[in-house]
Amino acid sequence: MQKQTFLKKFKLSSGQLNVAHDENLKDLNTKNNLLLHLMHELAKAKSKERLFSLTTNYSLKIFGAEVCAIYFPNETKRKLTAAYISSSEAAQKGIAEINLIRQLPLNSDYPLSRSFRKKKVLTAASEIPVSLKKVGIKSGIFFPVLLKEEALGVFALFSNRRTSFSSEDIKIGELIGLHLGLKMHNQDLLSSVKVQNETLELLQNSVGEGLALHGPDGVIYYANRAISHFFGNTASTIGLRREELIGNWDKYHKYKATRLYDIEEMKKTVYEDKKPFLGGLMIIHSNPPKVIEANYYPVIKDGNFAGMAAAYRDVTKERKQEQDLATNFKRIQKERDRWNAVFSNVDEAVCLIDREFKITHMNSTCENFSGMGLRQVLGQNYYKVFKCHTGNGLYYPDFNPLEKILITKEPIPYEEYLHTNASSEDVWVGVSASPIKDASSEIQEIVLVIRDINSVKEIEKAKSQFVSVASHELRTPLTVINGYLSLLINGDLGDFSDSQSRQQLREVLNKVYNETERLTDLVSDLLNVSRIEEKRVQLNRKEYLLKEVIDEVVEELGYVAFQKKVNLRVERTNKEAKTTAFFDKSKIYEVLLNLVDNSLKFTNPGGEVVLTYWQEDEKVYVAVKDNGVGIPKKLQSIIFEKFQQVPGSYLKENRGTGLGLFIVKSLVELHKGHLEVWSEPGKGSKFTFSLPRKFA
């Protein structure tokens, strides 16, 4: 039946099959005869090496190929490794190039790897390895070596022809792959039997292990002394059936036993399936307790089941060691997981480099900073990957701060220099470096903790600018006050006996008063910023009419508007006059005072500042609009930040410190409101903020 199926599938005649099995083959030129002769030879092969040699050498002739190789997965299942490679005489000239294909990644997109994973026949032309192209290889075909539905390996052919392989070639290749898989399985079975026989012989000759022999009916024929030692036998068990012994265990043994395996499963495996049952464990409750490993083997004679051999081994120490190892492994795994969690999730960039400053590892933060993955930078110079340099443009090797670690073997607590990030921007970083030493105190690696301190540098710069501005603003009124007081003290303003000198005195005192007010406002702003940043601002929120606080601000700044000839007014209807909201009256008064005062300062004579307010859903909105000089677009995103003094900007023309709008925004947000600005240079500005109508 098998013969007919074979002939039908591959369209061969019965005469061709017979010819292939003739010992006096005369013509092996046709593919079919070569194939049949290969099958005949494979049937006689007694080793896998012989199987591989026959398959590859015959296939070179059958397919007219230049190189034939058989690949199997390696132990890690990550690569396909060539177990055997044959090549034609022409291809032998490039044997060095051919050897380069001995290993291929299992998970690659190369057709050979995909043939194994998908269990399909695949071909290749453009995807031929470069090493094979050098010896003239132009195409390839790959057949999976199958056993039932499992892929054992790949049978590969490489040719110097560009034409694709024929359908007949594919059928023949599939047959060779199937036959090879079956023959390998048979070889494994023979090896398994050999191993079992050798194991049984070793057990029989070992005095340290318990040995017993059972007949086909379960009667115990033999048991050595180690059996009595393990189980504490109190009487002979020879001649007893196994079931009788187990049922009356306490009658024949001093120690109780707990079996950690299924006896019925063992009997089925050995007695019915005729297969070994290995690794069964028993706890013998002696003092101290013992762990016994039980292995059972079928005894086969003339193809029939003749009994069972049992081997018992004391594995107490091994189990204890396994438990200790498992405990230690869990502890190490836990420590490793903890370290990996810290390493991967820490906000700082962490990088490991060797003695030559080459990167060996880095975390995801470091990858994001460099813009490259770990695989891209492994083995590359740390200084070159991050383009480390000083503020005055000094680069590696002229700039090498880590070299001192190799010289002193001491850590570097902290240093600051510049990195170039993934966006090609220079960024200030703070770097701490510590050596990792071996048992002989030699440095093997250096761990770097890299912090982005660019924002810190910007804050330092902003604070420095602020100190400069604040110092100037404090010094100016103090200089004025000091000058007028000096005039008063020295009598340069007269004795005030007449009305003219008294008028002059009033003007001087008025100027001193105004400068004192400037100082008071400046100090007040600084204190407000401090309270906001330290979250010490307390809100006393109640329900108020917006009309009240708006009218108070307009009244307060009405004279200022009059002096500047700016029209300051409020637009509202009777309905809006009754609008209420929950807020701290003093804080919102300060918000409005700042916004209206700013509008007055930057609105030219003849202009106007208009306040409006309205209600939408659960919020009320207040807007301060002017037709003054306006704010440039590029400055609108920073005017609410503190310490901002941009030369030539909108803020520079205001003689303040750049804190007013920061305070305004902070107070609005404390009320769970929102502040935004619209402005266009030459047309004016509009500041709008919202407040909740109900207490939130």
Side-chain angles (χ1 to χ4, degrees), residues 242 261 266 270 275-278 294-298 308-310 312:
R242 179 177 176 80
Y261 61 93
M266 182 276 293
V270 179
K275 294 180 180 179
F277 183 91
L278 307 176
N295 297 299
Y296 302 99
Y297 303 87
M308 179 181 73
Y312 303 94

Side-chain angles (χ1 to χ4, degrees), residues 38-257:
L38 169 61
M39 300 302 170
H40 182 66
E41 291 297 316
L42 290 177
K44 298 187 295 181
K46 294 183 179 180
S47 68
K48 287 185 179 180
E49 184 175 359
R50 179 62 176 161
L51 288 176
F52 302 155
S53 174
L54 287 168
T55 301
T56 54
N57 284 306
Y58 266 82
S59 295
L60 290 176
K61 296 179 181 180
I62 292 172
F63 296 96
E66 301 302 318
V67 178
C68 180
I70 300 175
Y71 291 85
F72 298 101
N74 63 0
E75 293 179 359
T76 63
K77 305 293 185 181
R78 292 181 179 178
K79 292 184 178 181
L80 286 171
T81 303
Y84 209 92
I85 299 179
S86 293
S87 57
S88 65
E89 290 184 8
Q92 280 290 322
K93 296 177 182 179
I95 190 65
E97 285 77 11
I98 293 173
N99 281 331
L100 293 176
I101 65 165
R102 286 196 175 274
Q103 283 194 338
L104 294 170
L106 184 59
N107 60 352
S108 74
D109 201 40
Y110 185 62
L112 191 150
S113 301
R114 286 191 283 116
S115 173
F116 176 82
R117 296 198 305 271
K118 296 186 177 181
K119 306 172 189 174
K120 291 183 180 180
V121 178
L122 295 175
T123 60
S126 61
E127 297 166 305
I128 295 298
V130 175
S131 59
L132 290 181
K133 287 183 179 180
K134 291 182 179 179
V135 295
I137 299 301
K138 298 176 181 177
S139 62
I141 189 167
F142 313 104
F143 303 94
V145 178
L146 301 174
L147 179 64
K148 296 182 179 178
E149 297 300 321
E150 180 184 2
L152 304 180
V154 176
F155 165 55
L157 292 162
F158 299 95
S159 173
N160 60 5
R161 296 171 295 164
R162 287 191 180 276
T163 56
S164 60
F165 291 84
S166 67
S167 60
E168 181 184 12
D169 290 336
I170 293 174
K171 289 182 179 181
I172 292 174
E174 286 180 323
L175 174 64
I176 293 174
L178 289 169
H179 202 73
L180 185 58
L182 181 61
K183 291 298 296 181
M184 288 174 59
H185 178 62
N186 291 341
Q187 290 283 358
D188 290 338
L189 289 177
L190 290 173
S191 299
S192 177
V193 171
K194 183 179 179 181
V195 169
Q196 290 180 20
N197 291 336
E198 290 174 351
T199 302
L200 183 59
E201 182 181 354
L202 177 64
L203 290 172
Q204 290 173 343
N205 295 329
S206 174
V207 294
E209 298 184 355
L211 300 175
L213 185 63
H214 301 254
D217 53 359
V219 173
I220 300 173
Y221 291 165
Y222 169 79
N224 67 354
R225 291 181 180 179
I227 293 283
S228 298
H229 173 70
F230 288 160
F231 302 139
N233 287 17
T234 57
S236 174
T237 58
I238 303 300
L240 293 175
R241 290 177 62 85
R242 179 177 176 80
E243 289 79 4
E244 181 184 357
L245 176 64
I246 294 174
N248 298 278
W249 184 269
D250 293 343
K251 180 179 178 181
Y252 297 97
H253 301 94
K254 181 166 52 175
Y255 309 127
K256 293 184 180 294

